Amino acid sequence: MLSQTFQEFELIVVDDGSTDDSYAQLSVISHRLSVDAPEIYKKIRVIQQQNQGVSTARNNGVKLAKYDYIAFLDADDSWEPTYLEEMNDLIAAYPKAGIYGSSYFIIKNGKKRIAPIGVEKDFDSGLINYCQVYSKTLCMPLWTGATIIRKSIFDLENGFNSQLKLGEDFDLWIRVATKQPVAFLNKQLANYHQDVDLANRAIGEKLYQPQEHMLFTDYGELKNNSDFVYLYERLALYGFLPYYLKGKNKKEVKAILSQIRWDQHEFKYILYYRLLPRQLVLLYNKLMRLGSQIKRRVNEM
């Protein structure tokens, strides 16, 4: 943050019940800044709370914010030095947008690659149809660490849903992006670190209760938006496969799959869900996961 070329910001740090020495280290840094750089120290506020989850932590941070635009950054991710400056230019160029995003790098197993967001290669910046862009590659056009939202709109949507443990960012961004213009800068200005064990990732073995997962959320009137419906179906076909194979949330999954327009999606999903025996698909899924683990270990050697 302190290396940003744009310095007109406030920094609100939320310690969500950390169990390491993060808070102690932050206190040392804050004290040093109060002596060596008081003008920077005045920009920083730190709040400490019992662990309540990422959504509550973000919501509490936003409540304290004084400025009109909110940016988010998790502890293990980072911004390029010009992130705030170039996003400020994007806001100036599209003042009527409600939410702003930039492209980003994905860092996994020590390798850095450009997020395959579904915009054309020659797209520079401008307003996008969020659902259509998202549907092309299922790579988030609005990733939380590369997204800025108007505080008034964040408040209007009541922020992040604290019940959700998976997809709380998708849930908020989709509610905003289907109502407000979305401005996007096709330049990689943030770094998304994904060096997490597969078992702890959304596509891993961790399965959630319906109230904890964004795909089980009832999006009501959004079901009248054809672009949203197509995106939702694509995400559901991809995301529900572990639930279908293991019989988790069986009733809810069956109800949602019964509404899928199968002719609009890849044939492989018809195979997985409707034609092949479940045990055969489960075996295939295990083999694919094993292959992914072996590939990761080879890359780490």
Side-chain angles (χ1 to χ4, degrees):
M1 284 294 296
L2 303 183
S3 65
Q4 288 291 304
T5 55
F6 182 89
Q7 285 288 308
E8 295 180 41
F9 64 81
E10 62 176 341
L11 175 59
I12 300 172
V13 182
V14 181
D15 175 22
D16 186 38
S18 61
T19 56
D20 54 18
D21 62 345
S22 298
Y23 186 77
Q25 291 184 33
L26 184 60
S27 298
V28 171
I29 294 172
S30 296
H31 177 71
R32 188 182 306 148
L33 288 173
S34 68
V35 175
D36 299 336
E39 71 284 356
I40 295 176
Y41 174 75
K42 292 178 182 178
K43 298 180 180 182
I44 302 173
R45 280 186 288 172
V46 180
I47 62 174
Q48 194 175 24
Q49 64 182 37
Q50 292 183 344
N51 180 260
Q52 300 176 63
V54 63
S55 294
T56 299
R58 290 171 180 164
N59 290 344
N60 288 342
V62 173
K63 289 176 183 178
L64 297 176
K66 299 177 181 178
Y67 292 100
D68 296 332
Y69 295 92
I70 306 295
F72 303 91
L73 188 64
D74 291 341
D76 54 347
D77 299 315
S78 62
W79 291 335
E80 297 296 311
T82 61
Y83 174 75
L84 290 179
E85 178 182 355
E86 298 196 57
M87 292 298 281
N88 183 61
D89 292 341
L90 185 67
I91 292 171
Y94 301 94
K96 293 185 179 181
I99 194 166
Y100 304 82
S102 82
S103 184
Y104 51 93
F105 292 107
I106 295 174
I107 302 174
K108 187 175 181 180
N109 299 326
K111 295 184 178 181
K112 190 173 186 177
R113 65 184 178 95
I114 296 173
I117 296 168
V119 294
E120 300 299 327
K121 291 183 178 180
D122 60 352
F123 180 88
D124 181 29
S125 65
L127 300 179
I128 63 171
N129 182 312
Y130 177 76
C131 291
Q132 289 183 4
V133 170
Y134 199 164
S135 294
K136 288 181 181 179
T137 62
L138 295 189
C139 180
M140 298 176 291
L142 294 176
W143 164 59
T144 303
T147 295
I148 292 178
I149 185 172
R150 290 180 183 271
K151 187 176 188 296
S152 58
I153 292 174
F154 183 93
D155 292 338
L156 185 65
E157 295 293 338
N158 296 313
F160 295 101
N161 182 344
S162 59
Q163 279 194 308
L164 294 176
K165 294 183 179 180
L166 179 66
E168 74 290 333
D169 47 358
F170 168 86
D171 176 75
L172 177 56
W173 304 152
I174 199 67
R175 286 187 274 125
V176 174
T178 50
K179 300 173 187 174
Q180 303 288 339
V182 179
F184 185 78
L185 175 61
N186 193 24
K187 184 175 181 181
Q188 295 75 46
L189 295 176
N191 300 288
Y192 181 16
H193 290 266
Q194 293 188 349
D195 288 317
V196 180
D197 290 339
L198 186 63
N200 293 324
R201 290 176 53 79
I203 59 173
E205 296 182 359
K206 188 174 183 180
L207 303 181
Y208 297 86
Q209 296 297 324
Q211 68 274 13
E212 299 174 329
H213 194 308
M214 89 286 190
L215 288 176
F216 292 103
T217 299
D218 182 1
Y219 285 102
E221 63 184 21
L222 289 185
K223 294 178 181 178
N224 297 321
N225 182 322
S226 60
D227 290 333
F228 167 79
V229 171
Y230 180 68
L231 170 61
Y232 176 84
E233 288 183 354
R234 288 210 66 195
L235 290 170
L237 288 170
Y238 174 77
F240 281 158
L241 191 57
Y243 293 82
Y244 167 76
L245 293 176
K246 296 187 178 182
K248 178 75 171 180
N249 303 336
K250 189 174 181 178
K251 178 181 177 181
E252 292 82 2
V253 169
K254 183 178 180 180
I256 293 171
L257 291 179
S258 69
Q259 301 178 43
I260 295 290
R261 300 166 300 171
W262 296 97
D263 61 333
Q264 298 194 26
H265 302 283
E266 297 99 320
F267 181 70
K268 66 180 181 181
Y269 290 118
I270 297 178
L271 288 174
Y272 296 162
Y273 288 106
R274 307 185 74 184
L275 296 180
L276 294 178
R278 186 178 305 189
Q279 290 302 316
L280 182 59
V281 180
L282 183 60
L283 176 61
Y284 172 76
N285 195 50
K286 287 181 178 179
L287 290 174
M288 291 294 291
R289 187 173 303 162
L290 178 60
S292 178
Q293 292 173 348
I294 293 173
K295 182 179 179 180
R296 186 181 73 246
R297 290 173 183 173
V298 169
N299 290 335
E300 292 173 349
M301 294 177 63

